[in-house]
Structure formats: C-alpha cells, structure tokens
Amino acid sequence: MPHDGHHSHDLPPDGWKHTGVRVIPGDQLDANTAQTPGMNRAAAINAARVGAQKIWAGTVHIHPNAKTGAHHHGALESVIYIVSGRARMRWGERLEFVAEAGPGDFIFVPPYVPHQEINASTDETLRCVLVRSDNEAVVVNLDIEPIEKPEEVLWIDPIHKNGGM
C-alpha cells in the first residue's frame, strides 16, 4: 500500500510487515531481566526483543505470602496493573507508608521512590503486568530497615477528596 501522506514517517521497505505491530505470546516472555529477591519478572517488550525505544513491559509474579526486597527503578516511572491476587505496597525511605490494590487496580511508582511489593494473600499468586518509561529494566536493590507499622495511605485526588481505594 503506498504512503498516504497522513503521517510523517516513510514507509519501511517491508511495508510494516515485520517492523509494525508485534505480538509476543505470553508463554514466550524473557526471564533474563533485572530481578529483585521475592519476585519473578519476565520481559515482553524491550529494546532487545522488539526494538522498543521508550518503554519496557512485562509480567511480575509474587508467590503467596512472599515479599520483594526494597528497591527503586532509578529515573524510570512504573505502572503496575493487578491481574489477580492482592498487592500490598510499602514505600518511603523506611517503607513507612502502605496501600493495597486488587484485580483491575493500577499502581503508579514515581522515579527513585523506595518501595516493596508484598503478596497480601497466603494462598494465591499475585500476578501483575508492569510497564516502565524506558526500554530497559532498571532495578536498584536497597538495604532498608523498614519500620514495624507503616502508615496506611488512601488514594486522594481532586475527585476522591476523602480517600478511597
């Protein structure tokens, strides 16, 4: 199909056949990615696999009653989508804040925020989809002594003024 002039990119030699949309089967994810103790990450979208330049996407599984070590992702922003299970997130310089999320919920983690993912369930694997704002997975594992009782933080924004989850 000829170039229609409606976009600023030239048509690649293959007509987008191999350089256009890519489908990565769920059973072909790459576990050879940055890991944090207590979780299993697998890459679906990154520079090496599909040539992604600005995002990284994959899955995270945390086994029942397990928790990750404290870590952050450098300058990257992260979005976590809960597919199944119950996530308990702790964050802060001493992991002093806590919130929970369930299936269908999204979690946003800003750059450099120390955090820890916890599977709040004793019998169900926590399954999530993870997207980051760069093409490589940056993980900086931290040695943090967490406080014993974190402060619960409810979601507050201009729409949810009284807090909600």
Side-chain angles (χ1 to χ4, degrees):
M1 178 180 235
H3 187 282
D4 64 7
H6 288 87
H7 54 81
S8 62
H9 300 286
D10 292 326
L11 185 65
D14 72 351
W16 299 112
K17 182 175 182 177
H18 298 292
T19 56
V21 173
R22 302 286 297 275
V23 174
I24 292 75
D27 63 354
Q28 294 180 23
L29 304 187
D30 183 5
N32 186 24
T33 187
Q35 300 291 336
T36 295
M39 69 168 31
N40 300 105
R41 289 188 187 98
I45 308 294
N46 62 15
R49 300 198 82 206
V50 300
Q53 298 299 305
K54 298 177 182 175
I55 61 171
W56 182 99
T59 60
V60 175
H61 293 169
I62 303 176
H63 298 287
N65 227 20
K67 61 186 175 184
T68 70
H71 61 281
H72 69 73
H73 301 286
L76 306 185
E77 294 179 318
S78 299
V79 173
I80 303 167
Y81 174 76
I82 310 301
V83 175
S84 64
R86 187 103 191 130
R88 180 174 300 129
M89 294 290 290
R90 288 185 68 171
W91 72 93
E93 291 302 311
R94 294 195 54 219
L95 305 178
E96 64 267 34
F97 306 112
V98 66
E100 289 198 6
D105 292 343
F106 287 83
I107 299 168
F108 173 66
V109 182
Y112 299 104
V113 174
H115 61 282
Q116 175 185 50
E117 291 99 340
I118 301 166
N119 185 339
S121 172
T122 59
D123 59 1
E124 183 180 4
T125 297
L126 173 59
R127 299 180 192 283
C128 306
V129 172
L130 174 61
V131 178
R132 292 214 190 91
S133 62
D134 196 352
N135 63 2
E136 294 300 330
V138 174
V139 177
V140 178
N141 293 312
L142 304 170
D143 186 15
I144 290 178
E145 186 63 40
I147 65 167
E148 197 168 319
K149 293 197 174 217
E151 174 187 346
E152 183 176 9
V153 178
L154 298 178
W155 173 245
I156 297 175
D157 67 8
I159 297 170
H160 306 91
K161 294 184 186 301
N162 296 321
M165 292 298 294

